Amino acid sequence: MKIVLATVNARYSHTSFGLRYLKANLKEFETACEIMEFTQDLPPQEIAEKIIEQRPDIVGFGCYIWNIETILKTAEIVRAILPQAVVVFGGPEVSYENETFLPHCDYLIEGEGELALYHLVQKLAGGSRPAEKILKEPVCDLNRLKMPYYLYSDEDIAHRLIYVEASRGCPFGCEFCLSSLSRGVREFDLDGFLAEMDVLIGRGVRQFKFVDRTFNLKIDRIKKILGFFKARWHDGMVLHFEIFPDKLNAEMLEEIKNFPAGGLHLEAGVQSFYEPALKAISRKQDEEKTLENLRIIREQSGAEIHADLVAGIPEASLQTFEDDFNKLIAVRPQELQIGILKRLRGAPIDRHSSGYAMVYSKYPPYEIMQNKDMSYADLQLVKRVARYFDLYYNSGNFKNSCDLLLTAKKSAFLCWADFASHIWNTYHQTHKISINRQTQILFDYLCGFCNIKEVAAALLADYQAQNRSDNINYIKEVLK
């Protein structure tokens, strides 16, 4: 029996953690299984061709919001050419509201798939085919699962993100998130997990991206994990964790402060500070504590903060989003990711669709287009701010110049909104803008309200900090 587990990653640097878990837990069928990972730049015809060349008996597809359209087209080709092959769908995108996917596959696995896939393969290998197309098994004790870290190849370790997890689940119930559907947190045995991390470090892994929904639940686990990595520290090592900043206590903050500079990347999902919006999505958050803890991390530690805000939440308007942005940017996180609310399949946020006149795109990633509190134009503006903010602020390429940008208006958000509108109205472009052109655009814009020499000095400092070699003679001429 030949099994292919395939998916389409958003980019080459990503690895499919889920497929590695599935393969590792196929037991006697593991050696018959091959993982095939592709990227979005390949057309479905080429992906299907590579799968078909393997002549598999079973093809399992990992389905996510970013790849579902490509997967559906690929599966159609595979089924046409290999009608005898059993096609199985699994993953977050097909775990809820999945009737539309059933015609495209033979079986569909809802939720965690390690045990469900193994049991399906067992039956197929024994010559029987389950009558039920939708398969689901209760969540299992995580310590029954075989950890998949040995399946990261040397090439993965050298060139790609290495995902790890010490726990699954989330204790919170935010309605826009699928984690709200399965309350509770399950933990892997920490000694066994850290033993696997020790092997990865020995193999040369230096960047670990934890996929746990929140890292800062228990101080004893925080101390043990951070202490383990500190004892094995190498230059260039980075740990990425997702945190709830208002749940950080003094002891947790001390652990963060004492960690090597640059070694922690902390993703803080703030989403909103506006209380009616938080209430609408069943999210509790202490604004004062969140901002205080983020400020402590920013000013008293070497950790880097990646903060998230979401536009389009019920009750929230463009004005409340502006207020949220201004509060968060005042902390000066290294990155501030602006997202647009999505209606993920099965997420409880759908209960507001009628009452708040929520209009979502019917195509992935199912973003909100307007609601009763934010117009289509409002959300389009936020999207453009998000894109240009990524280019100029989150990239880290214009740290000095971005400070000048904030002198344009009293509100930080209005500064960025005005800049975004200027770029859009002048160039009608959000992508494929080279860094050299980005520099020219920012220079021209800042010279409209700042001293030209001050602008040139800031942009030259940014240029030199990035060791760039493109031509900015027009800036150097100003400073002669």
Side-chain angles (χ1 to χ4, degrees):
M1 174 174 284
K2 175 71 173 179
I3 304 166
V4 166
L5 298 179
T7 196
V8 179
N9 297 324
R11 51 179 62 93
Y12 170 75
S13 61
H14 295 177
T15 50
S16 178
F17 196 29
L19 293 191
R20 285 165 175 78
Y21 255 111
L22 294 174
K23 176 178 169 67
N25 286 279
L26 281 174
K27 300 183 182 180
E28 68 268 27
F29 303 105
E30 181 186 342
T31 56
C33 175
E34 180 178 352
I35 291 175
M36 301 185 72
E37 296 176 272
F38 305 95
T39 52
Q40 292 282 36
D41 58 337
L42 276 180
Q45 294 85 348
E46 289 188 31
I47 296 172
E49 181 179 11
K50 293 179 184 297
I51 294 172
I52 291 165
E53 285 173 355
Q54 303 300 313
R55 311 304 293 182
D57 301 292
I58 301 172
V59 183
F61 287 102
C63 304
Y64 299 86
I65 197 170
W66 63 81
N67 71 14
I68 187 60
E69 293 181 319
T70 300
I71 293 293
L72 291 176
K73 293 174 183 176
T74 302
E76 181 181 7
I77 299 170
V78 170
R79 296 183 91 196
I81 304 303
L82 298 177
Q84 76 283 2
V86 176
V87 172
V88 186
F89 283 0
E93 178 62 6
V94 299
S95 287
Y96 305 93
E97 301 176 26
N98 46 30
E99 296 81 4
T100 186
F101 302 117
L102 294 179
H104 301 276
C105 62
D106 297 293
Y107 295 100
L108 185 152
I109 295 174
E110 293 184 346
E112 293 180 9
E114 290 95 346
L115 298 184
L117 180 64
Y118 171 64
H119 292 149
L120 173 62
V121 172
Q122 257 189 330
K123 291 173 183 175
L124 294 174
S128 65
R129 293 184 62 144
E132 188 67 40
K133 288 196 68 170
I134 297 179
L135 310 175
K136 181 172 183 174
E137 299 203 14
V139 294
C140 69
D141 176 355
L142 294 181
N143 296 307
R144 289 179 58 195
L145 297 180
K146 183 179 178 182
M147 294 185 190
Y149 302 108
Y150 66 96
L151 291 174
Y152 285 122
S153 68
D154 291 341
E155 182 180 351
D156 294 334
I157 289 171
H159 303 292
R160 308 173 77 188
L161 281 172
I162 301 300
Y163 297 96
V164 302
E165 63 176 350
S167 65
R168 287 185 186 177
C170 181
F172 306 107
C174 308
E175 294 185 13
F176 55 79
C177 181
L178 291 180
S179 294
S180 63
L181 298 173
S182 54
R183 291 289 190 90
V185 176
R186 293 169 295 145
E187 298 171 339
F188 287 89
D189 172 70
L190 202 47
D191 290 332
F193 170 75
L194 293 177
E196 294 286 341
M197 298 304 98
D198 200 27
V199 173
L200 288 180
I201 292 171
R203 293 182 63 197
V205 176
R206 297 295 178 261
Q207 297 196 38
F208 295 80
K209 187 173 177 64
F210 281 71
V211 299
D212 306 51
R213 297 306 299 169
T214 180
F215 176 62
N216 56 303
L217 285 179
K218 296 180 180 178
I219 183 61
D220 58 330
R221 288 177 74 86
I222 289 178
K223 291 174 74 171
K224 192 165 184 176
I225 290 172
L226 294 186
F228 167 87
F229 281 100
K230 275 202 292 186
R232 294 157 179 80
W233 196 252
H234 294 267
D235 288 343
M237 191 172 277
V238 177
L239 312 180
H240 180 106
F241 296 110
E242 187 172 336
I243 63 169
F244 277 74
D246 62 337
K247 302 298 187 290
L248 291 167
N249 60 31
E251 195 174 0
M252 293 173 180
L253 288 169
E254 281 303 309
E255 290 294 324
I256 292 171
K257 290 179 191 178
N258 294 330
F259 209 73
L264 292 180
H265 285 192
L266 303 177
E267 184 172 347
V270 174
Q271 320 311 0
S272 178
F273 291 118
Y274 187 53
E275 201 57 45
L278 294 175
K279 185 177 180 181
I281 60 172
S282 305
R283 181 181 177 87
K284 294 181 179 180
Q285 181 168 259
D286 185 326
E287 175 184 323
E288 183 178 352
K289 195 69 175 173
T290 294
L291 291 171
E292 177 189 355
N293 285 344
L294 290 179
R295 196 170 287 111
I296 289 171
I297 293 170
R298 186 69 175 90
E299 296 174 358
Q300 299 180 30
S301 82
E304 295 194 356
I305 299 170
H306 173 119
D308 294 308
L309 284 178
V310 173
I313 297 172
E315 295 286 354
S317 65
L318 184 61
Q319 180 61 60
T320 67
F321 184 82
E322 176 184 339
D323 295 340
D324 290 343
F325 180 93
N326 292 341
K327 291 171 184 175
L328 197 49
I329 198 64
V331 177
R332 290 294 191 273
Q334 282 84 356
E335 292 184 44
L336 198 171
Q337 196 74 42
I338 300 171
I340 306 298
L341 180 70
K342 300 172 179 63
R343 195 200 78 79
L344 302 179
R345 291 176 179 273
I349 192 74
D350 191 44
R351 73 186 181 92
H352 294 304
S353 291
S354 177
Y356 287 87
M358 312 286 276
V359 180
Y360 297 95
S361 170
K362 64 180 181 178
Y363 303 106
Y366 314 119
E367 289 181 337
I368 186 78
M369 296 190 292
Q370 69 177 30
N371 61 29
K372 74 177 186 64
D373 298 299
M374 292 191 80
S375 68
Y376 180 75
D378 290 341
L379 283 161
Q380 287 298 104
L381 172 62
V382 172
K383 282 186 179 183
R384 286 194 282 271
V385 170
R387 174 57 186 158
Y388 299 131
F389 193 81
D390 274 346
L391 282 180
Y392 285 94
Y393 184 96
N394 289 339
S395 68
N397 292 330
F398 297 96
K399 291 181 178 179
N400 297 288
S401 314
C402 283
D403 287 340
L404 290 181
L405 186 63
L406 293 176
T407 64
K409 297 183 181 295
K410 291 183 179 179
S411 159
F413 179 78
L414 291 180
C415 291
W416 281 97
D418 188 75
F419 183 45
S421 296
H422 164 76
I423 300 175
W424 178 249
N425 293 332
T426 306
Y427 303 99
H428 293 283
Q429 193 173 1
T430 56
H431 291 78
K432 297 183 179 179
I433 306 174
S434 69
I435 192 168
N436 187 269
R437 191 156 175 241
Q438 292 170 37
T439 305
Q440 179 74 64
I441 290 170
L442 186 55
F443 176 78
D444 293 342
Y445 179 78
L446 290 176
C447 285
F449 55 87
C450 292
N451 177 277
I452 188 171
K453 287 189 177 294
E454 188 179 11
V455 173
L459 284 168
L460 181 61
D462 290 330
Y463 174 88
Q464 293 171 337
Q466 298 298 317
N467 295 314
R468 288 165 49 192
S469 59
D470 49 304
N471 186 349
I472 57 164
N473 287 337
Y474 64 96
I475 288 175
K476 295 176 181 177
E477 287 293 325
V478 172
L479 298 172
K480 283 186 177 179

